[in-house]
Amino acid sequence: GSLVSLRGVGKRYPSPTGEVVALRDVNLEVQQGEFIALIGPSGCGKTTLLRILADLEQPSEGSLSIAGRTPQQARQDRLYGYIFQAPTLLEWRTALQNVMLPLQVMHLSQGERQERAKAMLKRVGLENFLHNYPWQLSGGMQQRVSIARALAFDPELLFMDEPFGALDEITREKMNLELLRLWESTQKTVFFVTHSIQEAVFLSTRVVVMTPNPGQIAKVIPVDLPQP
Ligand code: ADP
Ligand code: ADP
């Protein structure tokens, strides 16, 4: 079966002038290892869709499952990591401490947590910046710490909401290349929100194009796998 399944998912937000329909009748099946790019005009519900998948928002109708579980169960089982547009690192903690922090819920010793966090930071090329504070790191490096932190539980899925949108173009392209390599070597399933059709086609195995007002899937475009 599919790793992620959305059936007739809709979302309405209350608003002073009635209701905002953010999503309507979204149906999508995603297999393990796919890289899905979500694209569409501002306000078409991309973030809402990601937030519903990640159990940060409840759907108004329809059903969805992740590895046969509800989003809430999937969150409890740490099946996914979420990466926001702006880095959400704790300013008074080093890169290493930021990645170690969520691992506190695991039954690991301090030393084991540290080894695991170091391995994740190495994977994103930050082995020489373990003890830097976020303000001592570039924007790109801060997002790499966020990715290392999201990977720390070895989740099945990564939800990324315009993760490099705040970076300059050259850094963004560099980060996209690194993300592709990471995806190829880890076989994670990725949902990636972007404004750029170029980025979507470059990165993904399928581009999901959404309509504005309300957000519906207009088109799903399969993309040839990029050659490593
Ligand atoms: P996108 O990520 O594609 O820009 P969003 O998912 O952020 O779109 O928003 C989809 C629609 O839902 C927009 O019309 C937006 O104004 C509305 N919306 C999003 N979040 C809320 C909220 N918390 N309350 C009310 N309306 C919201
Ligand atoms: P990124 O591509 O991650 O945004 P930059 O392009 O800003 O990074 O920086 C390029 C290189 O400069 C980095 O790979 C790193 O070697 C070095 N660098 C950037 N910021 C720092 C810092 N705060 N301390 C030490 N070296 C840094």
Side-chain angles (χ1 to χ4, degrees), residues 22-217:
L23 294 173
R24 181 178 290 164
D25 195 28
V26 172
N27 297 285
L28 187 66
E29 304 286 325
V30 174
Q31 308 304 315
Q32 197 272 327
E34 281 202 84
F35 196 126
I36 301 293
L38 291 171
I39 192 162
S42 192
C44 75
K46 304 181 293 294
T47 296
T48 298
L49 187 55
L50 221 52
R51 288 176 60 83
I52 287 174
L53 284 165
D55 194 39
L56 299 169
E57 208 77 72
Q58 302 298 311
S60 309
E61 59 255 328
S63 63
L64 61 154
S65 71
I66 299 173
R69 283 162 255 209
T70 65
Q72 192 188 3
Q73 288 168 327
R75 175 160 59 86
Q76 280 157 5
D77 294 344
R78 300 175 211 295
L79 284 191
Y80 53 79
Y82 201 103
I83 293 144
F84 299 87
Q85 174 164 355
T88 53
L89 303 174
L90 297 177
E91 288 297 319
W92 60 95
R93 301 286 171 99
T94 64
L96 185 61
Q97 289 168 340
N98 266 285
V99 178
M100 281 177 71
L101 212 59
L103 292 173
Q104 267 172 1
V105 299
M106 290 181 112
H107 297 288
L108 297 174
S109 69
Q110 169 88 356
E112 286 167 329
R113 285 193 291 121
Q114 183 156 325
E115 282 320 300
R116 191 170 179 132
K118 276 184 183 169
M120 294 306 148
L121 284 161
K122 185 165 187 216
R123 191 181 270 184
V124 296
L126 289 181
E127 59 270 36
N128 297 323
F129 298 90
L130 301 177
H131 306 297
N132 285 50
Y133 289 89
W135 48 270
Q136 296 173 311
L137 298 169
S138 69
M141 293 163 106
Q142 289 181 39
Q143 271 312 54
R144 280 191 219 143
V145 177
S146 304
I147 293 170
R149 186 179 55 185
L151 288 172
F153 290 109
D154 198 22
E156 195 79 25
L157 290 133
L158 284 182
F159 296 134
M160 308 181 94
D161 194 351
E162 293 193 70
F164 313 134
L167 304 174
D168 65 86
E169 205 173 317
I170 291 169
T171 307
R172 191 162 70 231
E173 283 189 16
K174 197 167 113 188
M175 298 291 291
N176 279 338
L177 274 171
E178 286 174 18
L179 177 61
L180 261 193
R181 273 190 223 113
L182 187 76
W183 172 73
E184 280 162 3
S185 65
T186 59
Q187 306 285 301
K188 304 285 179 206
T189 307
V190 181
F191 281 75
F192 187 97
V193 167
T194 177
H195 271 113
S196 157
I197 185 82
Q198 217 175 329
E199 195 167 88
V201 170
F202 174 69
L203 286 170
S204 73
T205 58
R206 281 198 292 164
V207 182
V208 173
V209 185
M210 296 178 63
T211 63
N213 313 317
Q216 287 179 295
I217 294 180

